[in-house]
Amino acid sequence: MYSVGIDVGSVAAKAVIFDGKNIIAKKITPTGWSPKESGQQLFEEIIEVNDIKRQEIKSIVGTGYGRISLPFLDQKVTEITCHGKGAYFLDASIRTVIDIGGQDSKVISLDSKGNVIDFLMNDKCAAGTGKFLQVMAHALEIEVGELSTIAQGVEAQTISSMCTVFAESEIISLMAEGASKESIAAGLLQSVCSKAYTLASKVGVKEKVFFSGGVSKNPLLKDLLSKKLHTEVISSEFSQYLGAIGAAVIGYKK
Amino acid sequence: MRPELMTEIEGLRGVNSVKIKEAHEAGKKVVGMYCVFSPQEIALAADAISVTLCGTSNDPIEEAEKELPRNLCPLIKSSYGFAITDKCPYFYFSDVLLAETTCDGKKKMYELMSKLKPMHIMNLPQTAQGEEALTLWKKEMVYFKEFLEKEFDVEITEDKLKEAIQLMNRERIAMRRLHQLNAHKPAPITGMDMMLAQWLKGFNVDKEAGIDLIERFIVEVEDRMEKGIYAFDENAPRILLTGCPIGLGSEKALRILEESGASVVALENCTGYKGLDVLVDEEKDPIEALAEKYLSTPCSCMTNNNGRLDLIERLVKEYQVDGVVDLTWQACHTYNIESFTVKNFVRDELDLPFLQLETDYSDSDVGQIKVRVEAFLEGIKS
Ligand code: SF4
Ligand code: SF4
């Protein structure tokens, strides 16, 4: 028997299949304009590619902001609980999860059983999220993924605006003043790092720290966070799938 | 199914807005008040009607922001917005206003508001501790009494005060009994209905009729309890809601909590239990007794405010609470800063999960708040 976890975020939809022991498949697609359609399609594709029949699935659990719109779920669980369970499954010694996604950033504190003891989320604004980096990369005329490559080893330019709109104009004027793209990119990552740091400090950071969400694909940011938090921050190939993994684990236990 | 009398309770606002017009036309005086520190008894003893004017609706905020900073507590903006737009019949028919020096935002807003209607300001001490604070507050009671006597050309006698004290105590006792029904597990009344019943009492033109309605409501609910009709099932997480005042239009957090499956059993805030906890001593000199009662309000404007923690602790035990939610309006510094103290107290001393929600009256963050609330409740259930 299997369980399927689906995490429909603002930018990407992720799905995993769990057999009670291992994550045997994972798949990611852009969410696009319809969380409902992308979630549905993702589910159908992942079970088809892995040759799994509907009767073999004991439970489908959804998470992420798009979970509300998926009609075929057996259960809906918030991304916070799912991230906790997902982290515990990957490594039971994780006590803090820093998750930076498309429009949310959150810090979750776990006990030794993977239960959430505390969490904080960013408020209404997009400062410090994937969206922030995306808009800024656009202003720099580069791809989001390039931010960390070009910023490597460069002295950071200070970006003082936290607000996405103001930061964008700040960047444009910095460029006009002759600041290099590289130093601006480094400054942007610094700014995301310090936002995550503030959130994390409020919750209280305990080892081990795991970095998840789309933004965790950025290796430089991971290093910056490690330095700022004075502890090693880890991530893995499953970082983006943490919510989906947690959902699948919850679904299997049901 | 909701208790039947809830329809009548909900109708109070409309009924009272007609009644206040009639009373005004018949020459009765109206005192508009904003805060739980306001001694309604003195207004009643002056033969006037007292109404609560705290703004709980998002609608007038846009107008208010033309004159007030955007980054201000929505309660203050809403109160001021109602004052300048003539959209609140209670403000419109108020002959005088009673303000009080609680938080900075309110204090300074009142300066602007005082240009619209005759206003009396009661100067609260910063702390409720010590003889001096009480002496000062006693004097403020006298000043307010003298203000009304002059303004309305009446004499507020000791007998009148005593009568008003008895009436208000009866109202508090009725409200308290209502609130305490939810100490039962499972709770017979939703937090939403409880909030409505408690909040609407602030608009009662006829106090006696209001008390009577609440007493009938209690009978109806007790009857339902006997029949085993409850608002939630046994397993619903029981939540204590504390923090800034809420009312109709600013009930977002309470609504989301209950829509997500929680049973909000205790409302520790000003629109809930806070003002009901202590009665006015009927044996003492009325002014002294009033000063003591109102000064004992555990509001975050006081420093320090340990009374709030004591009250939370008591309610948590009496109401078999599973988690505490602290609501803070954006830019409310006193409650916002105090939230850290409350969090540590709830987690460390009471060993309960705690969640702070900081928001305003708009709907722009409903999705986010839902996620937080649901995650919080998932944590309680697991
Ligand atoms: S919270 Fe404090 S300032 Fe606000 S109404 Fe209550 S007592 Fe007054
Ligand atoms: S909620 Fe806070 S800021 Fe607003 S009026 Fe009350 S004490 Fe002042």
Side-chain angles (χ1 to χ4, degrees):
Chain A
M1 284 305 261
Y2 303 99
S3 67
V4 179
I6 303 179
D7 176 3
V8 183
S10 64
V11 175
K14 287 85 53 178
V16 300
I17 301 176
F18 182 55
D19 68 1
K21 266 208 163 87
N22 297 302
I23 301 298
I24 58 158
K26 61 184 201 303
K27 190 170 170 58
I28 185 165
T29 63
T31 300
W33 59 273
S34 164
K36 186 174 172 181
E37 257 171 46
S38 45
Q40 179 97 39
Q41 225 172 31
L42 181 65
F43 172 69
E44 279 159 18
E45 279 171 22
I46 196 170
I47 63 169
E48 198 190 299
V49 171
N50 293 283
D51 205 18
I52 285 166
K53 289 182 199 62
R54 191 67 183 78
Q55 309 84 270
E56 293 175 283
I57 301 171
K58 58 190 279 187
S59 174
I60 316 166
V61 176
T63 187
Y65 100 103
R67 70 183 182 278
I68 316 291
S69 50
L70 302 183
F72 56 92
L73 300 177
D74 296 307
Q75 197 188 346
K76 295 169 186 163
V77 183
T78 62
E79 42 282 39
I80 296 163
T81 303
C82 286
H83 271 80
K85 290 284 176 254
Y88 183 72
F89 172 77
L90 287 185
D91 177 347
S93 63
I94 293 170
R95 292 290 176 274
T96 306
V97 178
I98 299 176
D99 174 68
I100 308 185
Q103 58 183 16
D104 281 330
S105 49
K106 46 187 164 295
V107 177
I108 306 167
S109 176
L110 302 172
D111 68 10
S112 58
K113 293 194 190 85
N115 295 319
V116 175
I117 12 183
D118 196 7
F119 65 91
L120 269 185
M121 270 170 92
N122 64 322
D123 45 32
K124 297 175 189 178
C125 114
T129 65
K131 188 76 194 172
F132 176 84
L133 288 177
Q134 204 179 30
V135 172
M136 299 313 141
H138 185 80
L140 291 175
E141 295 174 327
I142 58 171
E143 291 294 314
V144 157
E146 287 175 64
L147 280 173
S148 88
T149 5
I150 68 167
Q152 192 73 49
V154 179
E155 184 82 18
Q157 179 76 47
T158 309
I159 313 282
S160 41
S161 307
M162 275 292 182
C163 162
T164 310
V165 176
F166 288 134
E168 193 181 5
S169 37
E170 192 178 339
I171 285 179
I172 292 167
S173 44
L174 280 172
M175 285 203 290
E177 284 163 22
S180 71
K181 273 189 190 187
E182 289 76 10
S183 67
I184 296 175
L188 288 167
L189 297 179
Q190 282 288 3
S191 144
V192 172
C193 172
S194 66
K195 189 87 186 161
Y197 172 76
T198 318
L199 217 52
S201 313
K202 279 201 178 163
V203 176
V205 179
K206 274 177 274 160
E207 292 223 48
K208 234 175 212 174
V209 184
F210 190 80
F211 188 17
S212 71
V215 176
S216 71
K217 285 189 299 188
N218 186 312
L220 192 54
L221 192 53
K222 196 186 81 176
D223 294 345
L224 286 175
L225 272 172
S226 301
K227 258 193 223 123
K228 187 109 186 164
L229 292 171
H230 296 293
T231 176
E232 197 200 345
V233 174
I234 54 168
S235 64
S236 84
E237 51 163 333
F238 288 114
S239 280
Q240 249 190 306
Y241 296 88
L242 203 61
I245 293 172
V249 169
I250 291 171
Y252 201 88
K253 287 214 182 97
K254 255 187 71 170
Chain B
M1 261 275 290
R2 238 175 150 192
E4 269 170 33
L5 280 172
M6 264 320 289
T7 330
E8 199 174 320
I9 290 176
E10 268 190 323
L12 276 180
R13 221 181 163 206
V15 171
N16 279 321
S17 64
V18 176
K19 276 200 194 160
I20 201 161
K21 177 167 179 283
E22 289 169 358
H24 179 83
E25 280 162 2
K28 193 113 176 155
K29 298 293 182 192
V30 179
V31 185
M33 304 181 166
Y34 285 90
C35 173
V36 175
F37 281 111
S38 323
Q40 289 193 46
E41 287 85 349
I42 298 183
L44 296 177
D47 249 335
I49 297 166
S50 77
V51 283
T52 321
L53 299 176
C54 255
T56 57
S57 154
N58 196 43
D59 300 338
I61 287 186
E62 201 184 323
E63 277 304 307
E65 283 180 350
K66 290 183 183 164
E67 295 173 33
L68 293 174
R70 194 179 51 83
N71 181 25
L72 182 66
C73 149
L75 195 150
I76 303 176
K77 286 190 287 188
S78 178
S79 301
Y80 188 68
F82 272 128
I84 56 172
T85 55
D86 267 353
K87 277 192 185 126
C88 169
Y90 302 94
F91 185 89
Y92 184 83
F93 290 115
S94 289
D95 295 285
V96 298
L97 304 172
L98 174 63
E100 70 303 308
T101 56
T102 45
C103 66
D104 291 352
K106 266 197 189 173
K107 272 197 299 218
K108 300 308 282 186
M109 178 275 277
Y110 288 141
E111 289 177 10
L112 302 178
M113 194 189 249
S114 67
K115 304 199 170 86
L116 304 173
K117 271 184 201 276
M119 174 186 277
H120 178 79
I121 295 177
M122 290 180 78
N123 289 301
L124 264 169
Q126 309 269 336
T127 175
Q129 283 159 342
E131 264 310 301
E132 272 169 30
L134 188 63
T135 313
L136 184 140
W137 192 231
K138 237 186 331 197
K139 273 195 201 146
E140 291 294 323
M141 290 282 161
V142 175
Y143 296 153
F144 176 49
K145 173 175 157 281
E146 289 168 355
F147 167 80
L148 286 186
E149 287 180 326
K150 191 161 153 263
E151 202 65 35
F152 296 162
D153 194 20
V154 290
E155 196 199 336
I156 300 178
T157 62
E158 203 170 309
D159 283 344
K160 284 262 182 199
L161 275 175
K162 287 200 159 155
E163 235 176 80
I165 287 173
Q166 280 169 6
L167 177 64
M168 285 302 298
N169 274 347
R170 276 175 45 221
E171 186 188 87
R172 285 189 194 101
I173 291 168
M175 286 295 162
R176 201 147 86 171
R177 275 179 50 214
L178 177 69
H179 199 276
Q180 284 163 351
L181 290 175
N182 268 357
H184 188 278
K185 194 171 182 175
I189 310 172
T190 62
M192 276 294 280
D193 282 349
M194 185 65 80
M195 182 279 288
L196 279 175
Q198 311 243 358
W199 175 72
L200 282 162
K201 76 168 185 301
F203 303 100
N204 276 342
V205 172
D206 182 347
K207 292 263 173 209
E208 291 282 357
I211 297 171
D212 177 63
L213 178 55
I214 291 302
E215 281 170 350
R216 281 188 288 137
F217 186 52
I218 294 173
V219 172
E220 188 194 349
V221 175
E222 282 175 341
D223 195 47
R224 286 161 63 96
M225 289 169 80
E226 246 164 60
K227 294 186 186 125
I229 310 175
Y230 295 100
F232 292 94
D233 71 54
E234 189 97 29
N235 304 321
R238 296 167 67 84
I239 301 299
L240 176 140
L241 184 64
T242 177
C244 297
I246 53 171
L248 196 64
S250 62
E251 82 287 5
K252 174 168 75 178
L254 172 56
R255 186 167 23 92
I256 294 174
L257 271 161
E258 296 207 316
E259 278 171 4
S260 310
S263 166
V264 177
V265 290
L267 299 156
E268 187 274 331
N269 51 25
C270 273
T271 29
Y273 200 79
K274 202 187 289 260
L276 311 173
D277 189 42
V278 177
L279 300 179
V280 185
D281 191 332
E282 296 182 9
E283 307 299 320
K284 276 195 181 156
D285 162 63
I287 292 290
E288 170 123 30
L290 285 171
E292 277 175 6
K293 185 253 155 11
Y294 283 98
L295 198 61
S296 75
T297 308
C299 171
S300 67
C301 294
M302 288 290 163
T303 180
N304 52 41
N305 182 31
N306 294 332
R308 180 173 173 211
L309 303 182
D310 295 341
L311 183 56
I312 290 176
E313 177 165 20
R314 255 173 46 216
L315 292 176
V316 155
K317 295 199 170 124
E318 282 167 27
Y319 287 74
Q320 306 170 61
V321 164
D322 300 313
V324 174
V325 175
D326 189 20
L327 172 71
T328 345
W329 297 131
Q330 257 159 29
C332 170
H333 299 324
T334 59
Y335 274 101
N336 229 330
I337 298 170
E338 198 166 281
S339 192
F340 186 69
T341 309
V342 177
K343 171 170 102 177
N344 291 338
F345 177 75
V346 170
R347 290 226 178 114
D348 303 342
E349 306 289 320
L350 306 180
D351 201 18
L352 283 179
F354 173 90
L355 177 74
Q356 186 200 10
L357 296 173
E358 187 190 345
T359 183
D360 58 11
Y361 289 4
S362 76
D363 275 336
S364 58
D365 57 355
V366 165
Q368 268 237 355
I369 292 187
K370 267 199 179 127
V371 172
R372 286 179 214 199
V373 162
E374 282 170 21
F376 177 67
L377 298 175
E378 283 164 3
I380 290 179
K381 282 189 200 146
S382 72

